Amino acid sequence: MAKQQQHADYSQMSFETLIKEIELPKFQRGLVWSAKKKRDLINTLNEGFPFGAILIYEQDGKNVLLDGQQRLSTIKEYRENPLAYWKPLNKDN
């Protein structure tokens, strides 16, 4: 009988746990999004609209980010410094 591989349930994982466990493979390009592109993503999330995918692959017990590095890094940056995004999102306040 073949051994069944256990997979993580990412839907139940907190963002903080997920971000700590993800490894970037060498083929990932560097961060290239402009400040405007980052603000647009945060605005999209703020409005509750779909924002694309973050693709994680489990390899040798490690979580490897295959796609979504720009999105994930922007969300992480927002979580670490929300005030940098607050003013552009709340121009009337």
Side-chain angles (χ1 to χ4, degrees):
M1 242 180 142
K3 183 179 175 184
Q4 190 173 14
Q5 190 174 9
Q6 295 286 332
H7 296 286
D9 183 1
Y10 298 109
S11 67
Q12 301 299 317
M13 191 177 288
S14 73
F15 178 78
E16 287 77 14
T17 300
L18 183 64
I19 197 71
K20 288 177 188 173
E21 292 185 2
I22 290 179
E23 294 186 12
L24 294 177
K26 292 182 181 184
F27 63 79
Q28 282 284 351
R29 67 182 176 162
L31 300 176
V32 297
W33 274 12
S34 67
K36 181 187 181 322
K37 183 93 170 170
K38 291 177 181 183
R39 283 192 309 269
D40 289 347
L41 174 67
I42 298 303
N43 187 53
T44 295
L45 295 172
N46 189 46
E47 295 292 328
F49 298 134
F51 68 95
I54 295 172
L55 182 60
I56 300 167
Y57 178 72
E58 191 174 334
Q59 180 180 29
D60 300 327
K62 298 176 182 175
N63 297 316
V64 179
L65 182 67
L66 296 182
D67 188 39
Q69 179 182 358
Q70 307 303 314
R71 292 179 197 98
L72 191 60
S73 66
T74 300
I75 294 167
K76 182 181 176 186
E77 184 179 304
Y78 171 74
R79 294 283 300 246
E80 292 170 354
N81 188 12
L83 291 178
Y85 292 89
W86 185 85
K87 189 172 183 179
L89 292 174
N90 296 284
K91 293 176 184 171
D92 297 335
N93 293 330

